[in-house]
Amino acid sequence: MIGLVRNALRRGFEPVERTFDRLFGPALNPLAQLGALGFFFFWIVAVSGIYLFIFFDTGIERAYTSVENLTVAHWYHAGVMRSFHRYASELMVVALVVHFLREFAYDHYRGARWFSWLTGVPIIWLLYASGITGYWLVWDKLAQYVAIATSELLDWLPIFGEPIARNFILTGTLTGRFFTLLVFMHIAVPLFLLFVMWIHILRISRPKINPPRTLAVLSLLALIAVSLYKPALSQGHVDLAKLPAEIGLDWFYLPLYPLVDLWGKGAVWALLGAFTLMMGLMPWLPPLRRAKPALVDLTHCNGCARCAEDCPYEAIRMVKRTDDLPFPTQAQVNASLCVACGICVGACPSSTPFRRTQELKTGIDLPEYSLKDLRDRTVAAAANLKGRTRVLVLACEHGGGGGHLEGVVPVPCVAMAPPSLVDFILSRDLADGVAVAGCAARSCFNRLGITWTEQRFAATRDPYLRARVPRERVRTIWASALEARRFRAELAEFAEELARLPPRRRGSSPPPSGHDTAKAAARTAEETPA
Ligand code: HEM
Ligand code: SF4
Ligand code: SF4
């Protein structure tokens, strides 16, 4: 059932993502930058909030007038800042909602990734608490409505000795001290929110917390435009003697308030409780089957730390050497953080398929899909390739390159395949071209697999693709699981380009049949490194 919802949501996201790809390009696609945008909007809210605080009078009598004054008399700076503060907070809600729906749709929340999901749940509560306390401070009619509705909701819970709603219903009972407490909360809750946001990204390596500059500038320009076109305004001074009649609601922060009148407080609390519980349990509904974590083989580890640098989930630490090899450190895997993506295998300098040994070993390997398995499957897939242009595909199992095409070798992530595997395939004439097929460029399932592959192929990151590898025979294809048709079209185009290339200089002519390729492949796998 949850799987069906997830797939339906994913199908909903895809066309929008592709449209944004066309408009902005994959690197600037806002849907791939939602966490970073969330942080960016937080900083705008924080800076504009500090600015407003200079003009804001925290006393209950003068709070409203001070806000009116900064909005009207100082509209060109403080007024604009007020609008920035409001609209950036609203954009934070948008970023949050779309972000968590997207993480759900792309199945980024189960297995070892439960931590980011679970720490996201209090973020929802804290963001709403920050926004709602903000609306009280203006002390206008909307503030009065929010104050009464919120305190009635809170009074329904058996936490306060005395009902706090009395403060707002009986004229004159609202104390300045209570108001000061609210001001304090509106500062303390966002600070705590920031702390939880920091915890939220602790378990992922190189989290994107700053959007690309162009996207940041575009968001700022949009905020300026909206702030000038529709400045944030108050809705008339509070009158505690009367209940506010007509007020404009903020549908980003206050969508539940009308439900309090409609359904009653108990039902709204039940809804909030059920939502929170459901969100908290999501990573285990159902739990992801977890492949066995990566294992370090000390006899092949020289402590270079490349695996630790490339792991997207902070699952590898470099620790003091425990054997007598002459290196100061060794890699150590934290099994509870490892998602078995294999990126570390592709990063290890010992991962070279040219090795002569029957038991191909490397410094760090996946127990359920070792480097040797990968080489064996590559050789076997190459054996089935026929025709003039034999293309071997190393395909990420999360992208559009899987399927039942001939010559496809599935990998948990494209970056599991060390560049030397591509060299091995071409130099041993197992194929005429190698296509490395991953997820869509905007969203690698394993976060950094596409980036590392591109950098390794461009020789800007170790281990890099050697200069002798003919680049015209290597192609990367980034297509999501729902873009299999585009993948096939790009693959066909690559095959055509290969067919137009002059024949390669080989020791022997290309093998005529799959059977012959198999023999050649089996032979070459056992040869000395080139
Ligand atoms: C405004 C609030 C939030 C901010 C600023 C935020 C920020 C971020 C950032 C920066 C990342 C790292 C992205 C990357 O570099 O790959 C991230 C990842 C993640 N977030 Fe949030 N987040 C927020 C709310 C939430 C919520 C409410 C949930 C769900 C309940 C959530 C679930 C996740 C998950 C599951 C990941 C991990 C993705 C992965 O492992 O690839 N986030 N978030
Ligand atoms: S397989 Fe390697 S790179 Fe992937 S999560 Fe585990 S330790 Fe990190
Ligand atoms: S990349 Fe390989 S050699 Fe380097 S530290 Fe990791 S396991 Fe050891």
Side-chain angles (χ1 to χ4, degrees), residues 17-30 32 441-442:
E17 304 219 347
R18 276 180 235 159
T19 311
F20 280 168
D21 261 0
R22 276 193 289 275
L23 287 175
F24 298 92
L28 289 186
N29 190 327
R442 63 184 170 269

Side-chain angles (χ1 to χ4, degrees), residues 33 36 39 82 87 98 140 147 174 194 202 257 320 323 327 333 377 390 407 413 435 458 465 511 517 522:
Q33 303 286 344
F39 270 90
R82 181 183 179 192
Y87 293 131
V98 186
D140 62 351
L174 185 78
L194 181 62
L202 267 187
Y257 281 73
K320 204 165 165 297
D323 60 6
F327 307 108
V333 176
R377 287 177 84 160
R390 297 158 304 144
C413 176
L465 189 61
T517 320

Side-chain angles (χ1 to χ4, degrees), residues 180-202:
T180 314
L181 175 72
L182 282 181
V183 178
F184 170 75
M185 276 176 62
H186 189 56
I187 297 166
V189 178
L191 280 177
F192 191 56
L193 168 65
L194 181 62
F195 174 63
V196 181
M197 278 159 60
W198 171 70
I199 294 180
H200 181 60
I201 49 168
L202 267 187

Side-chain angles (χ1 to χ4, degrees), residues 294 310-313 315-316 333 337-345 364 366:
D310 282 9
C311 171
Y313 304 98
I316 304 174
V333 176
L337 300 182
C338 176
V339 304
C341 63
I343 291 180
C344 50
V345 182
I364 187 162
L366 296 183

Side-chain angles (χ1 to χ4, degrees), residues 280-292:
L281 291 176
M282 287 282 280
W284 298 276
L285 292 178
L288 195 69
R289 193 202 83 80
R290 288 178 72 170
K292 290 204 178 102

Side-chain angles (χ1 to χ4, degrees), residues 156 292 367 461:
W156 191 87
K292 290 204 178 102
R461 184 175 201 86

